[in-house]
Amino acid sequence: MTASCAGSLPISTVAPPRLDLPEAATRPCALATLPEAPSLADLEAAYLLRGAQILACDSARRLAVDALDAERAMQDRWMEAEKGGRKGARRG
């Protein structure tokens, strides 16, 4: 017995949805460095600056993760809609 693929629906040529990452999420994180012979003031200033830079970096990372989660959710909904459209097309 020979199986035929003539009854199969074509694969969709429509691309799944994609999101652009926020610009802040694509920038490398900057971290303060100490001079060659740091003073106590240099150490304190770098400590405070690095804390702020780490918070900014973590916020950018969170933006990237949120964008990825949203994109995956959109793609999941898109895939379900594609499956639903194919099922409906077979019946017709």
Side-chain angles (χ1 to χ4, degrees):
M1 183 191 265
T2 305
S4 172
C5 63
S8 300
L9 293 174
I11 296 174
S12 175
T13 58
V14 178
R18 295 203 58 150
L19 294 177
D20 291 327
L21 282 177
E23 190 271 331
T26 62
R27 276 193 314 250
C29 294
L31 287 178
T33 56
L34 294 170
E36 188 84 16
S39 66
L40 181 57
D42 292 330
L43 292 170
E44 289 175 348
Y47 181 78
L48 290 174
L49 182 55
R50 274 193 171 215
Q53 290 172 321
I54 289 169
L55 287 175
C57 189
D58 190 55
S59 294
R61 183 200 58 80
R62 184 77 247 161
L63 276 174
V65 169
D66 289 346
L68 178 63
D69 288 344
E71 180 178 273
R72 287 182 177 171
M74 285 173 46
Q75 289 174 349
D76 288 345
R77 288 190 302 273
W78 178 83
M79 294 281 285
E80 288 301 315
E82 283 289 303
K83 286 179 188 175
R86 288 185 188 160
K87 288 178 185 174
R90 277 191 194 148
R91 291 184 206 148

